[in-house]
């Protein structure tokens, strides 16, 4: 099955540190050097959104891939392509492993499996969403039966009882990829051409009560698949995203809106997705509405084709911002003033952040501001409709997810969901922050996290003795969820700092730091650097070369 992105070569590697791009010096009490991107972390400066901690929380695991997740209260509903679930920290085949066929649920606050929700899809699920009242979740995909009962590619489940809703059983001719629901109607899209035996071109609506067609709603995605749908406030329109170049017969590339009342086109002014050129194109993979804004994720097929995220006004579609980071984006989640996404980002020059490396390095999770903060700092993407458009700022949140192999697309996370306190990532990754954790993981805000993820070990300083002084130089290090770090200079085997420097850094911008020891007694000396994040986590370098003062 070819999912939301292009296949990538098996030689693609997990994250590695980029070379330092900035060099400078800092003495005790020196001013901080501004960074290109926002330095928000788990203990941010005033006015900058805080992010989740980078500490992975214990979460049940799966043996395949998670394509989509939805949160209702404290329960996360998960669908994809998997057959088993097992407790956190265990290996495949563990005695507590249980069967779960392409669908499961777990607690967002604890990571524990919800045992009362146990159903079997005979084909993979591609999308799960909740009704506005939270009483149902709808699952779409490639399955034709649920628990052995005929439910063709779209099914509903009661969130209170955990039971399959038998009365809801529309017959959809092919895969369902996108769903948006009201309490009385279900709008969906994919690559089908009939629903309940009646012609429908990749878009349809049915009654929530019994799955019967809503015949007054018949827009079309004329030339390619629909991947995502989202309802706007007041449920007046549905935003549609996908690979199409025309929506209901009119030029709407990748994204547009239709009225819920009759399916006719609604106003949509922005054009974040460039028009197809031969085999090169971009498309929308995910949509999510927060307040009066729609946030979208995109994948580009071709060199420098649009791969990033955008925000547009839910009413009318006016562009709010568009970031042009490269490396396909699969899922997006706005939460207050921050927006989380999963991708394989490798070039965020658009945001004044990390640049491409050779070979490419991939960053599987990103957080950025929900509001624009500046203008695009890079050249427009291929066939882009925008240049120097508003962009958000990248926030400092970089958990490291290892590349998976289950789909043979060599990605990590494909889905993100959660609430203001905790988020969950789902995909095919085998480990998180270097420790085994397969397919599912959670991250929480500082108040609910262990806060044990600290700075990477700094390099050993180089020491130079001259004129009765000892000068030290070393390269700054970085931390997954804190940009602002404090460096303490230790002499010989001492544990008390003889000097302190504060400096922000990122993995793509690790400045050279310096310190001069003017009080060293005569004799031989070595030095170490101890780096500390705002949460008290420390890491200490190896000793410097020996010098004689």
């Amino acid at each position: 099955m070819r999912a939301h992105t292009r296949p990538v070569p098996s030689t693609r590697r997990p994250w590695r540190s980029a070379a330092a791009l900035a060099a400078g010096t800092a003495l005790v009490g020196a001013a901080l050097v501004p960074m290109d991107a926002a330095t928000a972390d788990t203990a941010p400066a005033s006015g900058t959104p805080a992010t989740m901690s980078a500490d992975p929380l214990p979460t049940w695991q799966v043996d395949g891939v998670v394509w989509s997740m939805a949160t209702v209260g404290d329960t996360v509903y998960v669908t994809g392509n998997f057959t088993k679930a097992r407790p956190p920290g265990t290996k495949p085949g563990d005695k507590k492993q249980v069967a779960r066929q392409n669908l499961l649920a777990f607690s967002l606050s604890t990571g524990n499996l919800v045992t009362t929700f146990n159903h079997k899809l005979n084909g993979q699920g591609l999308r799960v969403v909740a009704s506005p009242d939270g009483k149902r979740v709808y699952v779409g995909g490639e399955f034709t039966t649920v628990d052995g009962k005929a439910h063709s590619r779209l099914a509903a489940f009661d969130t209170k009882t955990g039971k399959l809703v038998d009365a809801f059983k529309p017959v959809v001719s092919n895969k369902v990829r996108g769903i948006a629901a009201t309490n009385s109607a279900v709008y969906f899209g994919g690559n089908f051409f009939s629903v309940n035996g009646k012609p429908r071109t990749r878009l349809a609506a049915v009654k929530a009560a019994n799955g019967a067609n809503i015949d007054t709603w018949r827009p079309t995605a004329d030339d390619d698949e629909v991947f995502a749908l989202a309802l706007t406030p007041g449920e007046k329109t549905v935003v549609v995203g996908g690979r199409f170049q025309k929506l209901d017969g009119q030029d709407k590339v990748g994204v547009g809106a239709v009225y819920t009342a009759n399916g006719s086109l609604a106003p949509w002014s922005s054009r974040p997705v460039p028009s197809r050129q031969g085999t090169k194109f971009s498309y929308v993979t995910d949509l999510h509405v927060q307040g009066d804004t729609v946030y979208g994720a995109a994948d580009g097929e071709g060199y420098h084709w649009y791969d990033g995220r955008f925000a547009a006004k839910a009413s009318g579609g006016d562009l709010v911002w568009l970031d042009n980071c490269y490396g396909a984006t699969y899922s997006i989640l706005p939460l207050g003033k921050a927006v989380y996404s999963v991708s394989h980002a490798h070039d965020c020059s658009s945001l004044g952040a990390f640049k491409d490396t050779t070979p490419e390095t991939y960053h599987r999770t990103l957080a950025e501001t929900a509001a624009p903060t500046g203008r695009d700092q890079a050249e427009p993407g291929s066939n882009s409709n925008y240049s120097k458009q508003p962009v958000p700022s990248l926030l400092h949140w970089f958990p490291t997810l290892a590349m998976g192999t289950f789909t043979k697309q060599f990605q990590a996370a494909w889905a993100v969901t959660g609430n203001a306190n905790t988020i969950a990532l789902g995909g095919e990754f085998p480990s998180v922050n270097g420790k085994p954790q397969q397919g599912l993981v959670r991250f929480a805000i500082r108040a609910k996290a262990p806060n044990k993820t600290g700075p990477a070990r700094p390099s050993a300083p180089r020491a130079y003795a001259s004129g009765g002084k000892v000068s030290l130089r070393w390269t700054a290090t970085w931390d997954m969820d804190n940009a602002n770090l404090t460096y303490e200079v230790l002499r010989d085997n001492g544990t008390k700092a003889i000097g302190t420097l504060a400096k922000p850094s990122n993995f793509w911008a690790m400045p050279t730091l310096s310190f001069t020891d003017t009080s060293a007694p005569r004799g031989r000396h070595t030095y170490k650097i101890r780096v500390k994040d705002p949460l008290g986590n420390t890491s200490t370098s190896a000793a410097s070369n020996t010098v004689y003062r």
Side-chain angles (χ1 to χ4, degrees):
M1 177 259 179
R2 188 181 186 282
H4 300 177
T5 186
R6 56 188 178 276
V8 294
S10 59
T11 53
R12 288 194 169 181
R13 301 185 177 111
W15 183 92
R16 68 167 177 81
S17 176
L21 299 178
T25 60
L27 300 177
V28 177
L32 300 183
V33 175
M35 302 300 293
D36 289 329
T39 56
D41 50 32
T42 53
S46 177
T48 305
T51 62
M52 300 290 166
S53 165
D55 295 81
L57 302 179
T59 311
W60 272 64
Q61 307 170 78
V62 296
D63 65 345
V65 61
V66 171
W67 291 125
S68 181
M69 301 186 292
T71 301
V72 180
D74 186 54
T75 302
V76 178
Y77 295 88
V78 179
T79 195
N81 186 354
F82 47 83
T83 59
K84 299 288 191 300
R86 66 184 189 275
T90 63
K91 297 180 180 180
D94 183 82
K95 63 181 181 179
K96 293 185 178 180
Q97 180 174 278
V98 297
R100 286 296 186 273
Q101 190 168 323
N102 302 328
L103 189 64
L104 62 78
F106 69 88
S107 165
L108 184 61
S109 61
T110 68
N112 293 332
L113 193 71
V114 176
T115 57
T116 55
F117 187 82
N118 186 2
H119 300 280
K120 297 179 180 180
L121 308 181
N122 73 332
Q124 65 180 352
L126 298 174
R127 184 74 68 176
V128 57
V129 303
S131 61
D133 59 13
K135 292 182 178 180
R136 282 188 181 183
V137 289
Y138 295 94
V139 179
E142 297 180 336
F143 56 89
T144 55
T145 68
V146 181
D147 301 336
K149 301 175 182 178
H151 283 267
S152 182
R153 303 177 180 91
L154 185 62
F157 299 87
D158 187 298
T159 58
K160 184 177 181 179
T161 66
K163 294 181 178 180
L164 172 69
V165 180
D166 288 311
F168 181 83
K169 51 189 311 182
V171 178
V172 187
S173 66
N174 208 329
K175 70 183 70 172
V176 171
R177 287 193 179 274
I179 306 171
T182 68
N183 293 332
S184 60
V186 183
Y187 303 87
F188 56 98
N191 200 31
F192 51 83
F193 295 93
S194 73
V195 176
N196 296 325
K198 295 185 178 181
R200 295 291 187 272
T201 305
R202 301 189 179 91
L203 287 165
V206 296
K207 296 177 182 178
N210 56 13
N213 286 7
I214 298 176
D215 289 324
T216 56
W217 203 81
R218 294 187 59 178
T220 60
D222 300 321
D223 54 355
D224 215 329
E225 289 185 71
V226 171
F227 272 71
L229 286 85
L231 278 163
T232 58
E235 300 178 349
K236 291 184 178 180
T237 62
V238 178
V239 182
V240 182
R243 290 181 178 168
F244 52 84
Q245 306 292 292
K246 291 182 180 292
L247 189 60
D248 216 26
Q250 298 188 35
D251 291 337
K252 291 292 178 183
V253 179
V255 64
V258 294
Y259 287 109
T260 55
N262 57 18
S264 63
L265 279 181
W268 186 269
S269 61
S270 62
R271 298 182 296 154
V273 182
S275 299
R276 184 191 299 264
Q277 288 185 341
T279 60
K280 299 175 181 179
F281 64 98
S282 296
Y283 63 101
V284 169
T285 59
D286 196 20
L287 294 165
H288 198 108
V289 175
Q290 177 178 262
D292 66 352
T293 304
V294 178
Y295 295 85
D299 176 9
E301 301 284 338
Y303 180 73
H304 276 196
W305 280 72
Y306 178 52
D307 263 349
R309 292 146 293 277
F310 68 89
K313 288 298 182 183
S315 177
D318 288 351
L319 189 72
V320 176
W321 57 255
L322 181 150
D323 90 59
N324 215 19
C325 288
Y326 297 112
T329 309
Y330 313 119
S331 184
I332 191 166
L333 179 68
L335 286 175
K337 294 182 179 180
V339 177
Y340 295 87
S341 60
V342 293
S343 64
H344 64 262
H346 55 86
D347 183 354
C348 275
S349 302
S350 175
L351 306 183
F354 56 88
K355 299 179 180 180
D356 236 337
T357 59
T358 303
E360 287 181 340
T361 54
Y362 302 102
H363 311 283
R364 313 292 184 170
T365 62
L366 295 179
E368 55 200 326
T369 58
T373 58
R375 296 280 174 177
D376 195 325
Q377 300 181 40
E379 292 299 315
S382 298
N383 205 34
S384 176
N385 297 309
Y386 295 99
S387 176
K388 307 302 180 186
Q389 77 285 345
V391 295
S393 288
L394 197 64
L395 299 175
H396 196 101
W397 186 71
F398 302 104
T400 57
L401 276 62
M403 178 186 73
T405 59
F406 181 82
T407 67
K408 306 304 180 186
Q409 297 188 74
F410 307 102
Q411 301 302 316
W414 292 92
V416 55
T417 189
N419 58 30
N421 292 323
T422 308
I423 66 170
L425 307 184
E428 58 182 311
F429 47 87
S431 65
V432 180
N433 294 356
K435 295 182 179 180
Q437 178 65 32
Q438 188 176 4
L440 289 167
V441 69
R442 297 174 301 131
F443 299 94
I445 58 173
R446 177 182 175 184
K448 296 180 178 293
N451 299 309
K452 297 299 183 182
T453 298
R457 192 182 192 191
S459 62
R462 291 292 300 172
Y464 308 89
S466 177
K469 302 176 182 179
V470 179
S471 298
L472 304 174
R473 290 174 65 85
W474 69 95
T475 302
T477 186
W478 77 289
D479 184 289
M480 291 183 190
D481 55 9
N482 289 286
N484 298 301
L485 302 176
T486 300
Y487 297 84
E488 298 174 330
V489 180
L490 309 177
R491 185 196 300 136
D492 300 327
N493 294 318
T495 58
K496 184 178 180 180
I498 63 169
T500 302
L501 299 83
K503 201 78 167 179
S505 60
N506 290 302
F507 59 81
W508 68 90
M510 293 185 287
T512 298
L513 306 181
S514 66
F515 175 80
T516 300
D517 182 5
T518 60
S519 61
R522 287 191 174 276
R524 294 180 181 275
H525 300 289
T526 60
Y527 295 83
K528 296 179 182 179
I529 303 301
R530 182 171 61 204
V531 59
K532 181 186 298 184
D533 70 15
L535 304 173
N537 298 298
T538 63
S539 180
T540 303
S541 74
S544 71
N545 56 301
T546 301
V547 294
Y548 182 83
R549 194 192 81 76

